[in-house]
Amino acid sequence: PEVGSVKFDYRYVVLLKSVQPLELYAYNVFWIRFANQAFELAKFDDYETHFTVMNYFKEGSVLHQVHCEDFVPIFDEQYPQVGWKKVEEETFSAIAELFKAAVSEAPPAGIGHSLHSRAVYALDLMVEWEGEGPSARMKPQVLEVNFSPDCVRACKYHPQFFNHIFQVLFLNSTDNCPVTRIC
């Protein structure tokens, strides 16, 4: 948007309903965070150039808020050869791969199975250019996984957020819930 060629990351909330069999959903509303300064491989001590989390930083820093429904058309216009839909498909594939690995081992090395257990995670990702020319693609890179994440912003902008999560995890229904089953 107005901030130019900046670094950005994005967050998906993921709902783990079952380990055996693996049943995993992504909340379709995702959050984008932008650095405040144009990216460059210099000034490595400049927080607002190299970091994207501004809502916990010093007073006076600007938090550039762009909602996902506004971000996707901007992204598609800026990167028509890639398109957000393809990035999202690859993001969901990366998340599925991560959770398949996480449940492949018994505890304490992996996530254990329990019929009565459910979990909410948030995954922070960035995209990395892979290849060059017309075959270049943006490959999602998982930066961080948070168990029981901060959902204040989700609730502020999407008042039904926790209702949707509880409906999927505990009422066994995805009706009218903005979720995608990943696996």
Side-chain angles (χ1 to χ4, degrees), residues 142-166:
V142 176
L143 302 175
E144 178 178 23
V145 179
N146 295 286
F147 173 74
S148 190
D150 175 359
C151 295
V152 171
R153 215 171 18 155
C155 293
K156 178 178 180 182
Y157 294 105
H158 302 277
Q160 294 299 309
F161 176 75
F162 274 118
N163 290 337
H164 292 147
I165 286 176
F166 277 79

Side-chain angles (χ1 to χ4, degrees), residues 11-16 56 99 118-123 145-152 161-162 165-166 169:
R11 170 175 278 196
Y12 273 95
V13 172
V14 176
L15 315 175
L16 178 60
Y56 303 122
F99 276 89
R118 308 287 188 269
V120 178
Y121 295 89
L123 281 81
V145 179
N146 295 286
F147 173 74
S148 190
D150 175 359
C151 295
V152 171
F161 176 75
F162 274 118
I165 286 176
F166 277 79
L169 292 179

Side-chain angles (χ1 to χ4, degrees), residues 89-122:
E89 287 170 7
E90 291 195 25
T91 296
F92 291 169
S93 178
I95 293 170
E97 188 177 319
L98 181 134
F99 276 89
K100 285 175 185 174
V103 303
S104 67
E105 298 285 333
I111 301 173
H113 172 66
S114 171
L115 289 176
H116 305 290
S117 182
R118 308 287 188 269
V120 178
Y121 295 89

Side-chain angles (χ1 to χ4, degrees), residues 24-148:
L24 190 66
Y25 297 85
Y27 197 70
N28 291 338
V29 176
F30 60 95
W31 289 267
I32 306 99
R33 299 180 298 195
F34 298 94
N36 282 341
Q37 303 297 322
F39 180 76
E40 59 179 315
L41 286 173
K43 300 187 278 182
F44 294 113
D45 61 341
D46 183 2
Y47 187 92
E48 293 193 14
T49 298
H50 295 285
F51 290 89
T52 58
V53 181
M54 297 299 151
N55 46 330
Y56 303 122
F57 192 50
K58 65 182 177 187
E59 190 173 318
S61 288
V62 178
L63 172 62
H64 294 280
Q65 180 75 35
V66 178
H67 298 282
C68 64
E69 60 271 8
D70 299 323
F71 171 79
V72 171
I74 294 168
F75 183 92
D76 288 346
E77 183 179 319
Q78 189 168 356
Y79 301 105
Q81 75 280 16
V82 177
W84 184 256
K85 186 72 176 155
K86 182 67 175 161
V87 172
E88 186 175 62
E89 287 170 7
E90 291 195 25
T91 296
F92 291 169
S93 178
I95 293 170
E97 188 177 319
L98 181 134
F99 276 89
K100 285 175 185 174
V103 303
S104 67
E105 298 285 333
I111 301 173
H113 172 66
S114 171
L115 289 176
H116 305 290
S117 182
R118 308 287 188 269
V120 178
Y121 295 89
L123 281 81
D124 296 333
L125 305 102
M126 283 185 150
V127 289
E128 172 185 45
W129 280 105
E130 187 175 82
E132 294 183 21
S135 63
R137 70 184 188 111
M138 288 185 173
K139 183 179 177 188
Q141 301 293 315
V142 176
L143 302 175
E144 178 178 23
V145 179
N146 295 286
F147 173 74
S148 190

